[in-house]
Every structure is written in C-alpha cells, then in structure tokens.
Amino acid sequence: MYKRKIESIFQSWLDDISHRPLVVKGVRQCGKTSSVKDFANKHFKSVVYLDFHEHPEYKKFFIPNLDVDSIVMRITAAMPSVEVEAGKTCFVFDEIQDCPMARSSLKYFHLDGRYEVICTGSLLGVNGYNSPSEKNEEQYASIPVGFEEIVNMYPMDFEEWLWANGIKDIHIEHLKKCLDNEAPVEEALHYRFRELLNQYVVVGGMPEVVTTFIETKQIGKVLAVQRRIVDDYKADMVKYAQSADKSRIRECFESIPAQLAREYKKFSYTVVRPGGRGRDYTGSLQWIEDAGIILRCYNTTITELPLDGNRINSEFKVYMADVGLLVSMLEDGTQSSILEGNLLGYKGAIIENLVADIFGKMGRKMYYFHKDGGVELDFLIRYKGQCTPVECKASTGNAKSMRTVLKHPEKYHVARAIKIGDYNVGRKEQLLTLPLYLAFLLTEV
C-alpha cells in the first residue's frame, strides 16, 4: 500500500460522531478500492466487502426491501463466513453505481446507526452511464440526499509519487522552506527532484502503473499497463453510454492529443471531426469530464478575481487528468525524450498537461487568458489572495505575454506572476521563477 492523502480524509470522517455513510468518487483504477479496504481493515473488527461490478448477483441482497436487518440476513445467508457485529463492522460497497438500490440503502444504514458503510463509485452522477437494465433498477431507487458524504479521489499526485519513491517529510519541508524564502534548492536535491519529475511525467499516478515502474523500471511494461487502462476507459464508453453517444464520446476522447498539439490549444470540435459542432459533442465531452478522465481549463474575459465569475464557458482547453496517460497516447519514443529532460514536445502540450495534472489533483479549478493576436497566459490561479498568472516555459522562452501583463497593471490588474520550468528558485522584480517540481506546493489561495 502506498501512502495516500485520502487516508486523512477517511480518518476525519470516522472521527466525526455525526458522520454519514461515505461515498468515495473517482476515475477508475485510481486506487479507491485499495485505500478503502486498507482503512476499513485497520479500523474495524470485520469488513463485509461487496463488489457490484465483478459480482452483479450481489444486487439481490437489496431486494425486495431495504430494511437493514433484512439486508444483513440475505448477505450472511449467501456468505456464511461473514461476521457482522454492531459497532464493529464496516460494509464496503464497491462500484456502487452498478447497484442503485445499494446506494438507496445508505439512508437506512445511517438511520439504523449500527454499522459503518464506505462506498466507491467510478461512474457516479454521469448522465447516460447506465445500461437499460440498470435504468429499470434506478427507477425504483433514489439517491440518498442528506444521508451520504461524497469525497473525490484522484490518481496519485506528485507529492504521493515522491512518497512512493522514498522522499521523506524532511525533504518536502526543505522544498517548502525554499519556496517561502525564495531561495534556490540545494543542487543535489534539485537534480534528484528534476529526475523524479521527468519520471512522473512518463509514469503518472495510476497506482498499478506506479507499481510496475518501481518494481521493473521498464518503460515498455509501464506503457502496456497505461494503454490497457486507456482501453478500459474506452470499453466503459461503449458499455455505459447511450447508443447514440458512444461514437461521439470516443471521438472526443481520442482527439485530445491532437487538440493539445495545436498552437492555440482551445478545444475545437472541428478537430474531433471535420465540420464538428459544439451542439453535437458538448454532452459527449461532459460525459468524459464527469468520469474524471479529463480536466477543463477556461478562458477568462479579464485577469481579475473572481476567476470563475469571469470565465468564458464556450472557450476552454482540455487536459488529461493524469499526465502519464496522455504520454501513453502519444507515439513511442516520447517517453525516452521526456526522461532525458525534454518537455517541449507537442508545442508545450506535455509541460502544460503536467501543470494541469498537478493543479487538478490539488483540487484547483483552472483558467487561462487568451486574446486573439495578443496576450496569452497558460494558467491563472488565485494565489495568496491575488490573480496570479502562471507560465510554463520549460528551459526556454522569454514569457513575452507575462512581461506585457506585468508592465501594464492599469490594464491587467496583475501585480506578480510565476514562471515555472527547468530552473531553480529565483526572483526578478515581480516575477518569481520556480522549478516545475515545486508547482505542487502552490496551494495557498
């Protein structure tokens, strides 16, 4: 088991005496099941684990009624080895979206109060995910509004990747001190973190992929696991989406590398298909986003807070939520270039997606600024109470747009900016320069 940040969220949930059943929501294969089972086994005498994706027959435990005693009786009759004891048992409902009645039962488990329930769901809240048979089940079920707590889980972020590779808290604290003091990172550490960052770009944060890399150090095996995961996502699109949407969802997904390879990376429906229109693909793109596979970054009308209030809903970039999966969708050989330190490929798409991966996994909403024929800023974030541009320039690039914005505060209302790339920490007037591996510490809002 890897150390995951979700563990502290689980502990806070359990410590709250008024807590409700917990639903852990996230993209497939990001580690939800492993983390939930590990936590439950550590904190409860017995754990009753039901996987509705692998065992659809478990749905019968919630028919014909949702009385807790009746559910427990059906489960223990079918699974004699299961032990259920009030106050000491946790039920784990895995892939709960495949059993709508199990999700409805959370209300009754909460009102009953004798047992804890933790659920995982990969495809929750996405219109069109359910098969016809599941839609029939769903009409008799209801979402237990007010009787569940939902938390989001992501693939391993860069800091969790550092932990998996033996980086200690003392090293992270050193990075934080360098950021706070705007002082360069010691050379030996700087070299090691650069190396780990390049590896992270290739591997990403899917736990099975991370394990494959750590155990084998063979990029070919890493790539095989990543491409299987991508194929599994495509299989979900075929299995769960409505028939009319299946091909459009897949077309949107498969267009992402081409979208990011453009000079101006605004998502274009004509890249999905020549002559493509937003009205034909808007729902398909939303489907992929709600599944947790992609992240959106919206253009803004001005470089001011509140960023969400100034966003342009029709203008956005799309990034893969996990940078390693993006790289796996590119041609072979890309991985070798990245491991050698070349993050400039695809007109900056790889380095931009890396930053989007880092910001997305820390829960930041993402924005950028673009004016035709004028200023373009890669990202805008709220940092230390101000609208702060963040430019990704790898080891080259003069950040012309950034300088323009900083020279005209009367027009852009920006007092400081951050440039991240293959540098050490430094400052020149209003511009703070950071190495890419420090981006995960830009948490202050």
Side-chain angles (χ1 to χ4, degrees):
M1 279 298 301
Y2 296 113
K3 180 182 177 183
R4 301 296 303 271
K5 294 178 180 178
I6 197 77
E7 294 170 12
S8 62
I9 296 175
F10 292 166
Q11 190 63 57
S12 296
W13 166 79
L14 188 60
D15 291 342
D16 182 354
I17 59 174
S18 62
H19 67 258
R20 296 158 289 182
L22 185 67
V23 178
V24 184
K25 178 181 175 183
V27 69
R28 281 201 191 279
Q29 303 185 56
C30 69
K32 299 184 300 297
T33 301
S34 297
S35 294
V36 167
K37 290 175 70 175
D38 182 65
F39 180 81
N41 285 321
K42 287 177 179 175
H43 291 83
F44 298 95
K45 181 179 178 182
S46 63
V47 177
V48 181
Y49 174 71
L50 303 179
D51 182 343
F52 298 111
H53 185 69
E54 290 294 324
H55 296 278
E57 68 272 17
Y58 289 167
K59 296 177 185 180
K60 65 186 179 185
F61 299 151
F62 302 86
I63 298 172
N65 61 55
L66 297 178
D67 172 71
V68 171
D69 284 331
S70 298
I71 293 171
V72 171
M73 179 186 67
R74 296 179 200 122
I75 292 173
T76 54
M79 307 167 71
S81 62
V82 164
E83 295 184 9
V84 177
E85 184 178 349
K88 298 181 179 181
T89 298
C90 179
F91 288 85
V92 175
F93 297 159
D94 204 2
E95 301 294 4
I96 197 171
Q97 77 281 343
D98 284 345
C99 184
M101 294 300 288
R103 191 173 183 189
S104 293
S105 76
L106 300 185
K107 172 181 178 180
Y108 302 97
F109 273 99
H110 178 63
L111 293 174
D112 180 274
R114 287 176 291 167
Y115 312 108
E116 303 294 354
V117 185
I118 307 178
C119 313
T120 76
S122 302
L123 310 174
L124 291 170
V126 181
N127 183 35
Y129 260 97
N130 295 336
S131 65
S133 62
E134 288 163 342
K135 287 184 182 299
N136 289 335
E137 294 174 32
E138 202 165 50
Q139 66 179 318
Y140 301 107
S142 61
I143 295 175
V145 177
F147 295 95
E148 62 180 8
E149 297 180 31
I150 298 178
V151 297
N152 290 311
M153 185 172 178
Y154 305 95
M156 294 172 69
D157 64 20
F158 181 62
E159 186 171 15
E160 290 170 328
W161 160 262
L162 294 178
W163 295 338
N165 281 275
I167 296 301
K168 309 298 183 185
D169 288 343
I170 188 174
H171 304 127
I172 305 295
E173 288 303 317
H174 176 74
L175 294 185
K176 290 178 180 177
K177 187 177 297 184
C178 291
L179 176 62
D180 292 341
N181 297 334
E182 299 183 359
V185 179
E186 183 182 322
E187 192 61 32
L189 289 175
H190 179 62
Y191 177 84
R192 177 58 176 150
F193 283 117
R194 286 173 66 231
E195 180 183 48
L196 286 168
L197 180 92
N198 292 336
Q199 293 173 357
Y200 177 74
V201 175
V202 170
V203 177
M206 292 296 178
E208 184 182 358
V209 181
V210 173
T211 296
T212 300
F213 176 79
I214 290 175
E215 291 182 351
T216 72
K217 295 297 191 291
Q218 296 183 36
I219 298 303
K221 291 185 176 181
V222 166
L223 194 56
V225 177
Q226 289 170 322
R227 288 179 174 170
R228 176 175 53 74
I229 291 173
V230 170
D231 286 343
D232 288 345
Y233 289 170
K234 293 178 182 178
D236 279 344
M237 297 170 194
V238 172
K239 177 180 178 181
Y240 289 98
Q242 296 176 353
S243 297
D245 296 332
K246 294 179 189 295
S247 63
R248 291 175 180 172
I249 292 171
R250 186 158 177 165
E251 285 175 335
C252 280
F253 176 66
E254 292 179 340
S255 79
I256 292 173
Q259 302 278 358
L260 292 175
R262 301 165 67 228
E263 193 68 45
Y264 175 32
K265 297 171 179 57
K266 172 190 168 186
F267 191 89
S268 171
Y269 296 103
T270 59
V271 174
V272 178
R273 176 186 289 181
R277 298 169 296 183
R279 66 188 184 190
D280 297 325
Y281 289 99
T282 299
S284 301
L285 193 64
Q286 187 67 51
W287 195 100
I288 306 170
E289 182 181 17
D290 288 344
I293 298 171
I294 62 171
L295 302 166
R296 288 199 213 209
C297 180
Y298 286 94
N299 194 9
T300 60
T301 54
I302 53 177
T303 51
E304 290 182 0
L305 301 178
L307 292 167
D308 200 54
N310 295 318
R311 81 178 191 183
I312 304 171
N313 289 325
S314 61
E315 295 183 25
F316 52 86
K317 300 185 229 181
V318 169
Y319 298 104
M320 288 291 289
D322 185 79
V323 67
L325 293 186
L326 170 72
V327 173
S328 78
M329 297 168 70
L330 307 178
E331 72 266 16
D332 291 347
T334 305
Q335 295 81 4
S336 177
S337 296
I338 292 171
L339 290 173
E340 292 171 1
N342 179 13
L343 298 178
L344 296 174
Y346 287 82
K347 298 178 181 173
I350 294 172
I351 190 172
E352 278 192 39
N353 206 124
L354 166 63
V355 175
D357 170 300
I358 291 171
F359 285 169
K361 288 173 181 175
M362 69 169 66
R364 277 195 179 276
K365 292 182 178 180
M366 287 180 289
Y367 309 90
Y368 72 100
F369 184 70
H370 176 88
K371 293 297 180 185
D372 291 339
V375 172
E376 181 174 358
L377 302 171
D378 294 332
F379 295 96
L380 296 176
I381 63 172
R382 182 188 181 100
Y383 184 62
K384 295 185 177 180
Q386 296 185 27
C387 175
T388 305
V390 177
E391 282 282 86
C392 317
K393 290 301 178 186
S395 58
T396 62
N398 56 17
K400 179 180 177 182
S401 290
M402 185 87 80
R403 294 204 316 273
T404 298
V405 167
L406 291 174
K407 284 181 180 178
H408 298 280
E410 77 288 349
K411 180 178 181 181
Y412 296 104
H413 311 288
V414 168
R416 62 190 180 198
I418 298 171
K419 183 170 71 168
I420 54 179
D422 191 16
Y423 320 103
N424 210 317
V425 182
R427 172 176 286 282
K428 185 176 181 180
E429 298 174 344
Q430 300 154 283
L431 184 61
L432 175 64
T433 300
L434 298 176
L436 276 162
Y437 59 75
L438 278 187
F440 80 99
L441 293 177
L442 298 175
T443 56
E444 191 173 343
V445 295

